[in-house]
Amino acid sequence: MDFRHEWKHEISYLDMLALRQRLRAVAQTDRHAVDGKYLVRSLYFDTPADKALREKLNGVSRREKFRIRYYNGDTSVIHLEKKSKLGGLGNKQSAALSIPEVSAILRGSLSWMLDSGRPLVRELYGKMRTQQLRPKTIVDYTREPYVYPAGNVRITLDYNIRTGLCCTDFLNPGITIPAGDAPMILEVKWDGFLPSIIRDAVQLEGRHASSFSKYAQCRIYG
């Protein structure tokens, strides 16, 4: 399993304006962005005892979480993702899901997952059976993504975080509300090295690495 380095910072609106200007000068906009941004919708899974949430809040170094995700309201491309963390390193695995498969998961029809031919889908099945992992809440937000080829760097500005509360109607395009007073988030991810031009571009005075979690923020109401 290959891990990438990850930085995460809570930023202000003025920080975002400054970062946007700098990044547009040195990096490229992700080719999947529309007018420089896209909308992200995720459905996060957790156990009845909120294992994923508690491990995040307690700062457990080695942890994982499962989610289903699509972009810009386009349900023709949906992915199951497993995000693994080890300290300041992260790894993401993914597998495609169809709309009927997502609908089956949402209504608790799981037997098809064993014969799906996708190891990640089978892993989720096993944890839904043994750990009672279930869809927990929807997380929506807007993302501005930038890329820099050297170091395989990806920089994102995330904001307008919204929560589905306890609703898991993932394919319904509405139903979310603002997730409290959520901050804007700068994330920087890279492989072996972070080029100095990017390191300089994302420096913000008085800002330090954060452990902010969009999923945890979207659970503030329960």
Side-chain angles (χ1 to χ4, degrees):
M1 183 184 296
D2 294 327
F3 282 82
R4 281 162 58 80
H5 298 271
E6 297 185 0
W7 276 354
K8 187 180 294 186
H9 300 264
E10 297 182 27
I11 60 174
S12 69
Y13 179 70
L14 291 179
D15 291 334
M16 187 181 72
L17 293 180
L19 287 166
R20 182 186 288 159
Q21 185 175 23
R22 294 181 206 164
L23 291 169
R24 286 177 177 174
V26 300
Q28 305 167 4
T29 301
D30 186 300
R31 61 186 178 86
H32 295 107
V34 178
D35 294 328
K37 60 187 177 183
Y38 50 73
L39 304 178
V40 183
R41 166 161 286 197
S42 301
L43 176 64
Y44 282 84
F45 291 71
D46 213 333
T47 68
D50 290 328
K51 178 176 182 287
L53 177 62
R54 293 181 184 279
E55 287 183 347
K56 173 62 180 179
L57 295 178
N58 291 335
V60 175
S61 175
R62 192 181 193 104
R63 59 187 187 272
E64 66 182 29
K65 58 189 175 187
F66 285 84
R67 65 193 180 203
I68 301 174
R69 174 171 286 188
Y70 64 89
Y71 299 91
N72 291 327
D74 181 8
T75 55
S76 67
V77 180
I78 306 175
H79 284 95
L80 167 66
E81 298 180 346
K82 175 187 175 182
K83 187 70 181 292
S84 302
K85 292 283 289 184
L86 179 59
L89 302 174
N91 170 271
K92 185 172 71 176
Q93 302 173 59
S94 67
L97 290 175
S98 67
I99 291 177
E101 289 171 340
V102 172
S103 297
I105 291 173
L106 293 179
R107 65 175 183 268
S109 178
L110 310 179
S111 58
W112 63 272
M113 299 171 75
L114 271 179
D115 301 318
S116 69
R118 284 156 284 173
L120 190 60
V121 174
R122 291 198 299 267
E123 182 179 351
L124 177 61
Y125 170 83
K127 289 179 178 177
M128 292 183 79
R129 289 300 192 195
T130 60
Q131 299 181 14
Q132 296 300 302
L133 207 62
R134 290 293 183 271
K136 201 71 170 188
T137 194
I138 295 168
V139 176
D140 286 345
Y141 59 93
T142 301
R143 165 162 284 179
E144 292 186 22
Y146 300 87
V147 295
Y148 192 82
N152 189 25
V153 181
R154 182 174 180 81
I155 312 106
T156 56
L157 305 173
D158 297 339
Y159 51 91
N160 191 27
I161 301 170
R162 300 175 63 84
T163 176
L165 299 174
C166 296
C167 179
T168 58
D169 191 4
F170 182 60
L171 301 174
N172 184 334
I175 71 175
T176 57
I177 64 171
D181 189 21
M184 298 174 177
I185 303 297
L186 163 69
E187 292 188 15
V188 185
K189 301 176 183 179
W190 70 95
D191 287 344
F193 70 100
L194 182 63
S196 59
I197 190 171
I198 298 298
R199 188 183 297 271
D200 292 342
V202 299
Q203 288 300 315
L204 293 168
E205 186 176 353
R207 296 288 186 266
H208 303 285
S210 166
S211 60
F212 181 84
S213 164
K214 299 182 190 72
Y215 170 58
Q217 180 69 30
C218 288
R219 291 291 309 279
I220 60 173
Y221 300 120

